[in-house]
Amino acid sequence: MNHNLFSLLRARFPEEREAPFISTPGGRSLPYSALDELTARLAGALRQLGLARGERLVMLIDKSPEAILLYLAVLRLGAILVPLNTAYTAREFRYFLNDAQPKVVILRPDLDPEQHEAAQDTGARTATLDTCNGGSLPKLAMATHPLDTVEPVNKDDIAAILYTSGTTGQPKGAMLTHGNLASNGLALHRIWGFRPGDVLLHPLPVFHVHGLFVAVHCAMLNGSPMLYLPKFDPALVTDQLPQATVMMGVPTFYSRLLEHEAFNRSACENIRLFISGSAPLLPQTWEAFHRQTGHKILERYGMSEAGMIASNPLDGDRLPGTVGFPLPEIKVRVSDRNGKPLPRGETGVLEVKGPNLFAGYWGKPEMNATEFRADGFFISGDLAVMNDNGRITIVGRDRDLVITGGFNVYPKEVEDCLNQLPGVKESAVIGVPHPDFGEALVALIAGEKNTAPGEQTVITALKRNLAGFKVPRRIIRLDALPKNAMGKVQKNTLRETYADVIKD
Ligand code: AMP
């Protein structure tokens, strides 16, 4: 049997081949019937550039239908896709190229010349691709014989390398196999109840597990169309929502929709499911969205290394602030730092094992010993607690835990209190170096325009609810918290910026 993910996806193309696969607000539409030929043409061009099974292709292009076709063509060849965010600087880009050692690099034509230079320097073959099917790659594809085979691969063969957000140390490439992607896609397609007639609204970036794998695989396994937006824009999303039945987004999409004046209940009338993930969805946002639209956002939890791990149920209770239950066939446990499983109700490190789990970090076999337990569980680095029914709540990243004067403080507990205060929209609590306490707590709060309360007001309010050692020494007001493309608060940036904020 050929375990190539492309074969699985192709087997799910709709019977009505002229049905749309991707439609853009600009009026472009690609039917499923075009997929076979277009990916075969691209595969032919990539083979011409020297790409073969097991070789890496780095993709540094803007979101476009072609980016998905390129991904599918790489799958067909049994090669390995390495998608990157075009926001990386030339210096960062060089790091990824040196690490991934690609055979082929596909670039946006108007990238910085330094970025083009960096790609040339690796000795890789390069080609360009823009968002309107222009560039040297489509030209080559038209001039080359299509390659209409699907390379036979095993379940354990690598299909993609995703560089983790790398909030500490250097980014590491998580190797995901055809088996990982297929099992996770099939599980999500099932538990989220994809059905005939579904249309997916896709406003996510496609260099990340959420937009590239979760969204695209669910739509394709269902033979469904994707309304494919170049990026998230609240006006565009509001405009497209009536044509869709499912939307996937990161939490900031939902809070920004709520602030958008044209967004209302009637825009959501045809939607059956709003899904959120990649960063914590504040219960306040969940509640406000429910009040305004009647929809209960389904929150799920996952990571580059393991795809999706847990999800709130489609048919059971979707509880704000929790990420629900492990997906079928995925085992999750909460352990102490030494890997000893903890009783239910205790906070510890979430460990995970299953067909979703990646094959290790690219070029770093030594990390297999430090990141995995002897019995194969991966140490996620997230702190979590499981209740008696097995429902999971994520408490934050292990490395964000603050130890002040010997006391452990989970930032989330303090952030939850801060977010309850009038005028506070969101908050981040970090630890900064302190001569006596080792670390001291600092809170950053962001409010609606100038409505965030003052430092003393906040401290007094927190003291009513929290033990003294959990009350931050400083409260700093910001217009907005720094976030990455997936809406994750960049605590490492905050720690650097505010390292000296406590003087005594
Ligand atoms: P990435 O590899 O970029 O997808 O980042 C994965 C990390 O995002 C996880 O390890 C979590 O720390 C965080 N994350 C993803 N989904 C959630 C969620 N629903 N709630 C809280 N944190 C999340």
Side-chain angles (χ1 to χ4, degrees):
M1 179 180 170
N2 187 356
H3 290 283
N4 195 310
L5 176 64
F6 184 80
S7 302
L8 169 66
L9 298 174
R10 185 160 67 176
R12 300 292 194 102
F13 287 1
E15 261 170 47
E16 173 46 52
R17 287 288 152 106
E18 293 313 309
F21 164 54
I22 283 187
S23 308
T24 70
R28 287 186 70 195
S29 183
L30 272 182
Y32 271 93
S33 62
L35 270 187
D36 239 344
E37 191 198 326
L38 293 178
T39 57
R41 284 202 172 277
L42 276 174
L46 296 176
R47 175 58 55 80
Q48 186 80 14
L49 291 170
L51 192 71
R53 180 174 174 172
E55 306 275 10
R56 274 82 51 220
L57 175 141
V58 165
M59 172 169 100
L60 192 70
I61 58 175
D62 285 332
K63 184 178 177 184
S64 65
E66 283 69 29
I68 303 301
L69 296 176
L70 188 58
Y71 164 49
L72 297 173
V74 172
L75 286 180
R76 280 189 91 140
L77 285 170
I80 301 174
L81 182 82
V82 187
L84 293 180
N85 185 347
T86 51
Y88 285 128
T89 62
R91 188 183 60 82
E92 290 163 320
F93 185 39
R94 269 181 202 278
Y95 168 82
F96 292 113
L97 291 173
N98 282 333
D99 195 67
Q101 293 290 312
K103 191 81 172 185
V104 173
V105 182
I106 306 296
L107 299 153
R108 194 175 82 186
D110 59 347
L111 277 179
D112 204 81
E114 273 184 71
Q115 270 155 323
H116 280 268
E117 223 175 271
Q120 308 285 349
D121 288 351
T122 58
R125 298 284 301 274
T126 62
T128 56
L129 181 60
D130 69 18
T131 53
C132 305
N133 201 29
S136 62
L137 185 67
K139 280 202 193 98
L140 185 61
M142 287 317 287
T144 314
H145 202 64
L147 204 147
D148 56 11
T149 50
V150 180
E151 182 77 16
V153 300
N154 299 318
K155 263 190 182 164
D156 298 339
D157 283 328
I158 311 299
I161 295 176
L162 289 188
Y163 278 91
T164 56
S165 324
T167 41
T168 53
Q170 295 282 38
K172 307 176 288 279
M175 298 189 285
L176 295 156
T177 66
H178 286 261
N180 293 152
L181 300 178
S183 71
N184 212 232
L186 288 167
L188 295 173
H189 177 262
R190 197 167 79 235
I191 65 164
W192 291 340
F194 274 87
R195 57 189 73 156
D198 269 338
V199 175
L200 179 75
L201 185 57
H202 190 311
L204 290 158
V206 291
F207 52 77
H208 186 265
V209 55
H210 197 167
L212 185 60
F213 299 147
V214 180
V216 171
H217 295 165
C218 279
M220 290 191 80
L221 288 170
N222 205 50
S224 276
M226 284 188 275
L227 299 178
Y228 192 77
L229 310 187
K231 62 180 176 46
F232 174 79
D233 170 68
L236 199 53
V237 168
T238 306
D239 185 57
Q240 298 284 315
L241 270 173
Q243 276 83 257
T245 63
V246 180
M247 177 178 132
M248 296 185 192
V250 298
T252 38
F253 290 5
Y254 293 104
S255 50
R256 288 187 54 203
L257 276 176
L258 286 171
E259 286 165 5
H260 183 65
E261 53 194 19
F263 178 74
N264 55 27
R265 195 176 271 254
S266 74
C268 309
E269 252 169 19
N270 293 331
I271 296 284
R272 70 166 183 86
L273 188 58
F274 283 105
I275 299 172
S276 174
S278 298
L281 177 69
L282 292 181
Q284 289 85 336
T285 310
W286 191 97
E287 304 281 4
F289 201 85
H290 185 218
R291 270 197 309 277
Q292 189 159 333
T293 66
H295 280 279
K296 296 180 174 176
I297 300 174
L298 181 151
E299 184 172 9
R300 73 5 168 226
Y301 157 77
M303 61 199 312
S304 305
E305 289 91 337
M308 297 305 102
I309 298 168
S311 171
N312 269 282
L314 183 68
D315 295 320
D317 288 338
R318 298 180 200 165
L319 298 188
T322 82
V323 295
F325 303 94
L327 265 51
E329 293 182 66
I330 296 181
K331 291 193 191 115
V332 170
R333 68 188 183 200
V334 174
S335 303
D336 69 9
R337 289 247 164 78
N338 303 316
K340 189 167 140 275
L342 292 169
R344 295 271 164 104
E346 282 191 30
T347 300
V349 182
L350 185 142
E351 299 182 350
V352 55
K353 185 178 171 178
N356 56 323
L357 196 56
F358 74 134
Y361 291 110
W362 169 255
K364 295 187 168 50
E366 71 285 358
M367 294 193 84
N368 290 346
T370 54
E371 308 300 305
F372 291 84
R373 299 284 176 210
D375 59 1
F377 274 78
F378 173 62
I379 308 162
S380 73
D382 287 318
L383 295 172
V385 60
M386 250 189 195
N387 75 4
D388 286 341
N389 302 326
R391 185 182 276 275
I392 302 165
T393 299
I394 303 295
V395 180
R397 296 292 293 166
D398 191 12
R399 61 174 171 263
D400 292 336
L401 177 83
V402 184
I403 305 180
T404 176
F407 292 110
N408 285 0
V409 179
Y410 296 110
K412 183 170 186 293
E413 188 187 353
V414 186
E415 290 160 5
D416 284 346
C417 286
L418 285 164
N419 297 344
Q420 305 281 334
L421 299 178
V424 176
K425 214 168 86 185
E426 49 182 359
S427 60
V429 170
I430 53 169
V432 300
H434 188 276
D436 287 341
F437 300 137
E439 282 183 295
L441 289 168
V442 171
L444 295 306
I445 57 174
E448 312 287 350
K449 298 173 194 75
N450 295 327
T451 57
E455 184 160 35
Q456 271 321 311
T457 315
V458 173
I459 290 180
T460 310
L462 288 183
K463 281 188 172 158
R464 272 188 235 120
N465 293 306
L466 294 172
F469 70 91
K470 295 183 191 167
V471 176
R473 305 286 303 263
R474 290 294 316 271
I475 311 287
I476 297 167
R477 288 190 282 188
L478 301 179
D479 289 339
L481 300 177
K483 291 185 183 162
N484 72 5
M486 300 311 291
K488 285 196 235 295
V489 176
Q490 297 299 79
K491 288 203 168 173
N492 53 331
T493 312
L494 290 173
R495 280 190 284 262
E496 275 167 31
T497 312
Y498 296 99
D500 300 325
V501 81
I502 294 189
K503 298 281 181 292
D504 55 312

